[in-house]
Amino acid sequence: MPHDEEQPRVEVPFWFDPLCPWAWVTSRWLLEVEKVRTVRADWRIMSLAYLNLVQREGKDLSDDYRALMESAWGPVRVCAAAAEHASPAILGPLYTAIGTRLHNQRRRNDPTVIPEALAETNLPAALAAAATSTDFDPLIIASHHEAFDEVGLDVGTPVVRIAGTALFGPVLRKAPRGEAAGKLWDGLALVAATDGFFELKRTRDSKPIFE
């Protein structure tokens, strides 16, 4: 059921942290939904570092995961700096440029990821310095609270707002394509419109697949 180009598109806020592989898969699904339904992703940032280290006070984190969270500040700070420098519209292209390198290319420890992503999206190389600066943290935290004040602190990313309701997920092993992506959207739209709905969940038994 391809979308009708004459119908106005519905903006769908989607909060992501560039470091999260599950959010990456879901974001690729939402881009597929754009092709078959009259929706458009409205890319927004949240911070796993802020969520885990500040809001959850670093409780019950292993040393390795704490170190990962400390490093998670870098990419999202660069995204915030880019949005301030250009406009929030740059977040979609920049997220794709960063995420493709971090996840599809598996370059999570490669220091050239951010400079390459900035160059690909025609942003100043100087924005890479934001990774180690707190200057843009207020912007990150404000965007983060837009989602998590509503959805709660017992979830992570992705968070998507559908029909005025913020939901954690969908968490997907692999992004559905074409009409399959649209059907999942239809189901989520029905769930989101159900008064009092809170949760559907099952244990993850595999790692995400990036395509």
Side-chain angles (χ1 to χ4, degrees):
M1 186 171 63
H3 63 76
D4 185 346
E5 291 291 352
E6 295 183 359
Q7 293 183 14
R9 288 183 176 268
V10 176
E11 298 288 334
V12 180
F14 182 99
W15 284 267
F16 67 92
D17 185 303
L19 203 64
C20 179
W22 299 102
W24 175 249
V25 173
T26 306
S27 72
R28 302 309 95 180
W29 159 74
L30 189 54
L31 290 178
E32 287 291 308
V33 176
E34 288 185 341
K35 301 175 184 178
V36 294
R37 297 293 186 270
T38 52
V39 304
R40 177 180 292 109
D42 175 10
W43 304 107
R44 305 185 185 190
I45 49 177
M46 58 81 64
S47 171
L48 286 173
Y50 178 71
L51 176 66
N52 286 289
L53 300 176
V54 179
Q55 291 187 295
R56 295 176 179 167
E57 300 178 336
K59 293 178 179 178
D60 301 320
L61 299 182
S62 68
D63 290 343
D64 287 346
Y65 195 74
R66 182 181 294 274
L68 179 64
M69 289 299 95
E70 293 288 356
S71 69
W73 279 115
V76 74
R77 282 170 169 166
V78 172
C79 286
E84 177 76 0
H85 171 81
S87 78
I90 197 63
L91 287 174
L94 183 58
Y95 181 30
T96 291
I98 294 174
T100 297
R101 290 167 172 80
L102 290 180
H103 305 300
N104 294 63
Q105 298 175 11
R106 303 184 184 278
R107 296 166 56 192
R108 294 182 68 148
N109 297 314
D110 186 343
T112 66
V113 163
I114 294 299
E116 285 183 12
L118 291 171
E120 180 178 318
T121 50
N122 298 312
L123 288 165
L127 292 180
T132 55
S133 168
T134 60
D135 289 352
F136 297 95
D137 288 4
L139 296 178
I140 297 169
I141 292 168
S143 179
H144 180 100
H145 276 282
E146 287 177 357
F148 284 82
D149 286 355
E150 179 178 349
V151 80
L153 300 184
D154 58 338
V155 299
T157 183
V159 172
V160 61
R161 181 176 286 138
I162 303 174
T165 300
L167 299 171
F168 168 59
V171 178
L172 304 163
R173 181 173 70 104
K174 181 179 178 181
R177 306 293 179 182
E179 184 58 19
K183 287 181 178 179
L184 176 56
W185 168 263
D186 296 341
L188 286 171
L190 287 173
V191 164
T194 300
D195 184 42
F197 172 80
F198 289 114
E199 185 174 13
L200 281 172
K201 190 171 182 178
R202 66 175 183 155
T203 300
R204 302 176 200 177
D205 59 3
S206 65
K207 294 181 179 180
I209 297 174
F210 311 124
E211 293 182 347

